[in-house]
């Protein structure tokens, strides 16, 4: 079977891999689609993401949907053939954060396709993958696999919106209109935001944000753009660029909330930190998600506007082209790999 393996910076290969067999507690899943994530692109282009560096070859991918094939001895779950999404995280369950109900910041979690720990946790970009059976989520009737492939990034967005607090009646700023920023728009809308303004450098990205429900869009590099808000109640930074965080801090109202969701470059970041003090801005981080995965699946099942965010589907043998396409934000939003070929 084919799998998509990162061997080092700039060295992405489609390798022939052995079909794994599930052990006790595990399930074998035939993967249909895998969404190419910003973190996958970072491993490819930079050999790491945030402060996590690649130290050995790793199957990429954590946005995975498919159908159940079989289970290991003594293990059960959705019957074979059931369409499922795979929750990519297996928190340890015993650390202080897990005990505190914050499993998304578990200090010993295993996350599909992540170099946060060594040996790395191999990911889901392969025709068949073994995962803990408890990570399977059966899809509701009527939710097709293609849209369901957005479950993981939508969970990230839902978690960021939850971190931001009340949305009802609020004017929300989202900096960055990549796939995550667009899904934050959809999540904020679903949570009752009154008005959503989105900034980005690229017109195409802003048009995806409009399809996700943005009320106003702003060219981030144009200070004279008439759509710049004077002030917002909540700002969610989804570009992973320090300038985006700076914009959020300058535009949020006094006592407002800024959520940093985008992964900033490794090391230190320049931003107007004194505004956190003088305006009592609440600066909060948002990292991955936990129970929001189930909320994401439920939301995807009832909302068809997400379909416009999947901008291309390529066969796994064209993985490098798919990655290049996903990295080209002047045309792409979410790019999926198809593993059935
Ligand atoms: Zn992702
Ligand atoms: Zn834990």
């Amino acid at each position: 079977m084919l799998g998509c393996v990162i061997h080092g910076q700039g060295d992405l290969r489609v390798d022939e891999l052995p079909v794994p067999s599930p052990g006790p507690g595990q399930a074998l899943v035939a993967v249909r689609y895998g969404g190419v994530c910003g973190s996958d692109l970072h491993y490819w282009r930079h050999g790491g993401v945030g402060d996590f560096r690649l130290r050995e070859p790793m199957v990429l991918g954590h946005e995975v949907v498919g159908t159940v094939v079989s289970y290991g001895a003594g293990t059960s779950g959705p019957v074979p053939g059931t369409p499922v999404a795979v929750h990519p995280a297996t928190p340890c369950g015993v650390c202080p954060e897990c005990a505190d109900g914050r499993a998304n910041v578990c200090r010993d979690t295993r996350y599909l396709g992540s170099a946060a720990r060594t040996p790395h946790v191999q990911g889901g970009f392969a025709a068949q993958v073994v995962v803990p059976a408890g990570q399977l989520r059966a899809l509701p009737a009527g939710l097709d696999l293609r849209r369901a492939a957005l479950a993981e990034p939508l969970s990230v967005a839902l978690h960021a919106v939850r971190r931001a607090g009340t949305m009802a009646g609020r004017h929300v700023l989202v900096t960055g209109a990549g796939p995550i920023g667009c899904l934050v728009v959809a999540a904020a809308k679903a949570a009752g935001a009154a008005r959503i303004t989105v900034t980005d450098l690229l017109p195409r990205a802003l048009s995806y944000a409009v399809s996700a429900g943005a009320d106003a869009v702003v060219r981030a590099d144009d200070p004279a753009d008439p759509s710049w808000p004077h002030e917002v109640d909540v700002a969610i930074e989804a570009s992973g660029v320090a300038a985006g965080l700076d914009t959020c801090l300058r535009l949020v109202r006094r006592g407002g909330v800024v959520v940093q969701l985008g992964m900033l470059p490794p090391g230190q970041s320049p931003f107007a930190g004194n505004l956190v003090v003088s305006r009592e801005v609440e600066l909060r981080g948002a990292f991955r998600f936990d129970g929001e995965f189930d909320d994401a699946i439920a939301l995807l099942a009832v909302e068809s506007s997400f379909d416009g965010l999947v901008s291309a589907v390529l066969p796994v043998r064209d993985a490098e082209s798919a990655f290049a396409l996903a990295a080209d934000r002047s045309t792409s939003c979410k790019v999926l790999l198809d593993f059935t070929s």
Side-chain angles (χ1 to χ4, degrees):
M1 67 167 193
L2 296 180
C4 181
V5 183
I6 186 76
H7 287 258
Q9 183 175 2
D11 186 4
L12 179 72
R13 303 182 203 168
V14 179
D15 289 341
E16 185 67 37
L17 302 173
V19 175
S21 60
Q26 296 179 322
L28 181 65
V29 174
V31 175
R32 178 66 205 268
Y33 297 118
V36 179
C37 184
S39 60
D40 299 315
L41 296 175
H42 270 85
Y43 284 121
W44 175 49
R45 299 215 288 195
H46 309 295
V49 55
D51 294 321
F52 310 147
R53 311 309 299 169
L54 206 55
R55 299 179 199 286
E56 59 185 358
M58 180 175 78
V59 177
L60 287 171
H62 55 267
E63 302 179 4
V64 178
V65 293
T67 52
V68 180
V69 176
S70 63
Y71 292 95
T75 307
S76 61
V79 295
T82 303
V84 290
V86 179
H87 194 309
T90 313
C92 78
V94 296
C95 75
E97 288 72 29
C98 281
D100 205 24
R102 301 184 70 166
N104 62 306
V105 287
C106 167
R107 56 187 69 188
D108 196 24
T109 198
R110 298 176 62 81
Y111 207 87
L112 285 183
S114 167
R117 53 191 294 160
T118 304
H120 303 336
V121 180
Q122 300 295 311
F125 281 175
Q128 301 197 56
V129 293
V130 163
V131 296
Q135 288 175 238
L136 303 183
R137 299 290 185 276
L139 300 183
L143 174 54
D144 65 57
L145 284 167
R146 185 181 145 125
R147 194 192 301 162
L150 295 172
E152 196 271 353
L154 179 58
S155 304
V156 171
L158 288 168
H159 181 68
V161 165
R162 183 165 294 171
R163 290 283 290 153
T166 306
M167 285 286 128
R170 301 283 161 89
H171 185 175
V172 180
L173 175 71
V174 180
T175 52
I180 291 290
C182 289
L183 289 166
V184 167
V185 171
K189 201 98 190 166
R195 182 172 176 79
I196 303 172
T197 300
V198 181
T199 70
D200 201 289
L201 295 169
L202 299 170
R204 187 74 186 107
L206 290 171
S207 74
Y208 285 118
V210 169
S211 80
D215 299 289
V217 294
V218 181
R219 281 287 297 262
D221 55 350
D222 180 5
D225 192 317
S227 294
W228 277 109
H230 170 63
E231 188 172 88
V232 298
D233 303 303
V234 176
I236 300 179
E237 204 304 297
S239 72
V241 176
L245 174 55
D246 195 71
T247 298
C248 290
L249 291 171
R250 290 179 191 284
L251 290 182
V252 79
R253 66 169 166 78
R254 287 162 190 265
V257 176
V258 172
V259 174
Q260 180 63 41
L261 170 60
M263 189 66 90
L264 294 163
Q268 300 180 338
S269 298
F271 57 89
N274 268 336
L275 295 177
V276 176
V277 182
S278 61
R279 296 184 189 172
E280 286 201 349
V281 172
E282 292 199 43
L283 177 56
R284 304 174 183 168
F287 186 62
R288 295 176 179 165
F289 56 87
D290 184 27
E292 291 90 350
F293 198 69
D294 298 305
D295 304 336
I297 290 170
L299 184 55
L300 288 166
V302 298
E303 184 53 72
S304 62
S305 67
F306 290 105
D307 291 340
L309 300 181
V310 175
S311 55
V313 182
L314 278 78
V316 59
R317 64 176 173 276
D318 297 335
E320 185 138 30
S321 309
F323 273 53
L325 191 60
D328 180 5
R329 298 201 318 112
S330 71
T331 54
S332 296
C333 190
K334 177 59 72 179
V335 174
L336 306 183
L337 288 171
D338 185 341
F339 292 87
T340 51
S341 42

